[in-house]
């Protein structure tokens, strides 16, 4: 196909992170930077040779020289922007979470199907080469008994919130909160590997804005138990772990799969015997983390496929159905949850 002409919508830090990886793909061409502010669009575009600034979604939708868009705007706006772009003949790579709720994602996939456009959620860890390493090793671990994932990262925006400055990430109207911002990193890989749990029990620490600042979720999958912990109000260095009859996989971080170890079960000895020797099974990434999701998306465009096998429409839907249930149990309500949203 040659170069794929992209527009990025949104000029936050996540867009710069995305572009570091995307620009490593020789078929990626940044053609347009779109922001609500022309001043911001110009300043951002100036760092990328050949990129044009734009401050109008209408103008962007009307262009015929754009093949695809990357959307990194507040969560509650993902659906409307994605639908608008797909209706105008552009494929969409949308930042996680794909939408504010499952209802919005269903609407997005319906348009993608009708218009014949490629649509994919930019979920980082499942695109890592080491996600394939994890998935392949699971096949030899016997019955999987436990999935435990942790992602706790103190947010500087908490300090701003305490000063009365409420940013998008903590606004219900923007689809904010810990579940949607970082909790999805613990949930999506679980769904991609094991499907939907049979039972969900969630509890959260709420912020005065009406969204969660931290949460713990316990889930059941037949013989497997799962628990995820995530927070934007404190830090944690705990690894994530998947345990089976044959041993355990230790993941240094669930959102960036750089270090993966396999630890076989040691002989029962009440802790008095020799420790099991860990085997490093991770591969060293050959590119920036964000390269892999861009490369996957471009590969879909080249082959004419509408969705990824891993970051599939179904996996994104299931994850959003799960976050919907977590929010229902913890009392986090978005305006977008209305039937008329």
């Amino acid at each position: 196909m040659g170069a794929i002409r992209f527009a990025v919508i949104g000029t936050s830090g996540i867009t710069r992170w995305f572009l570091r990886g995307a620009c490593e793909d020789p078929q990626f061409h940044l053609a347009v930077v779109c922001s609500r502010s022309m001043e911001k669009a110009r300043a951002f575009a100036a760092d990328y040779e050949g990129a044009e600034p734009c401050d109008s979604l209408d103008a962007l939708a009307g262009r015929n020289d754009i093949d695809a868009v990357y959307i990194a705007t507040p969560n509650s706006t993902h659906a409307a922007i994605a639908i608008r772009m797909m209706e105008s003949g552009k494929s969409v790579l949308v930042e996680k979470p794909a939408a504010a709720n499952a209802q919005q994602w269903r609407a997005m996939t319906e348009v993608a199907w009708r218009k014949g456009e490629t649509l994919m959620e930019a979920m980082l860890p499942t695109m890592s080469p080491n996600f394939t390493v994890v998935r392949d090793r699971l096949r030899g671990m016997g019955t999987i008994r436990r999935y435990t994932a942790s992602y706790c990262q103190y947010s500087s925006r908490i300090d701003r919130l305490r000063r009365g400055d409420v940013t998008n990430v903590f606004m219900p109207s923007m689809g904010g909160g810990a579940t949607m911002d970082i909790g999805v990193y613990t949930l999506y890989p679980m769904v991609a590997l094991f499907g939907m749990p049979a039972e969900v029990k969630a509890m959260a620490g709420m912020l005065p804005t009406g969204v969660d600042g931290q949460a713990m979720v316990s889930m059941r999958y037949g013989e497997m138990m799962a628990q995820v912990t995530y927070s934007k109000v404190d830090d944690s260095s705990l690894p994530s772990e998947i345990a089976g009859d044959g041993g355990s996989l230790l993941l240094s971080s669930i959102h960036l799969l750089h270090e993966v170890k396999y630890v076989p079960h040691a002989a029962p000895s009440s802790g008095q015997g020799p420790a099991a020797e860990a085997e490093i099974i991770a591969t060293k990434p050959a590119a920036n983390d964000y390269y892999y999701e861009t490369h996957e998306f471009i590969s879909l465009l080249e082959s004419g496929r509408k969705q990824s096998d891993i970051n599939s429409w179904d996996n994104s839907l299931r994850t959003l159905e799960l976050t919907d249930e977590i929010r229902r149990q913890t009392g986090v309500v978005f305006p977008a949850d209305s039937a008329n949203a």
Side-chain angles (χ1 to χ4, degrees), residues 117-271:
E117 297 296 340
T118 299
L119 172 65
M120 190 183 100
E121 181 175 4
M123 175 56 64
L124 197 63
T126 45
M127 288 291 98
S128 167
N130 282 319
F131 184 78
T132 301
V133 171
V134 168
R135 187 178 56 184
D136 290 346
R137 181 54 68 99
L138 286 176
R139 298 190 181 106
M141 287 173 53
T143 301
I144 304 303
R145 303 293 182 180
R146 179 168 44 84
Y147 173 94
T148 308
S150 173
Y151 186 10
C152 302
Q153 182 172 284
Y154 184 85
S155 172
S156 61
R157 294 181 179 89
I158 285 290
D159 295 330
R160 293 173 61 179
L161 179 63
R162 289 169 179 158
R163 296 194 298 267
D165 180 9
V166 183
T167 56
N168 290 340
V169 74
F170 296 130
M171 293 183 183
S173 61
M174 295 297 178
T179 294
M180 306 305 287
D181 189 47
I182 61 176
V184 291
Y185 282 121
T186 68
L187 297 167
Y188 199 110
M190 181 189 74
V191 168
L193 291 170
F194 306 111
M196 284 291 277
E199 185 178 356
V200 179
K201 293 183 179 180
M203 59 181 179
M206 300 295 289
L207 297 173
T209 59
V211 301
D212 56 331
Q214 61 176 335
M216 296 181 67
V217 187
S218 297
M219 292 156 283
R220 180 178 59 81
Y221 285 82
E223 295 183 86
M224 187 185 89
M225 305 299 291
Q227 185 172 59
V228 301
T229 305
Y230 46 87
S231 175
K232 292 187 70 65
V233 297
D234 59 60
D235 291 319
S236 174
S237 57
L238 288 176
S240 296
E241 184 177 33
I242 306 174
D245 287 344
S248 299
L249 289 173
L250 293 180
L251 319 175
S252 61
S253 63
I254 195 63
H255 67 296
L256 295 174
L257 295 179
H258 291 170
E259 297 179 19
V260 182
K261 298 178 181 179
Y262 176 71
V263 184
H265 288 317
S269 59
S270 299

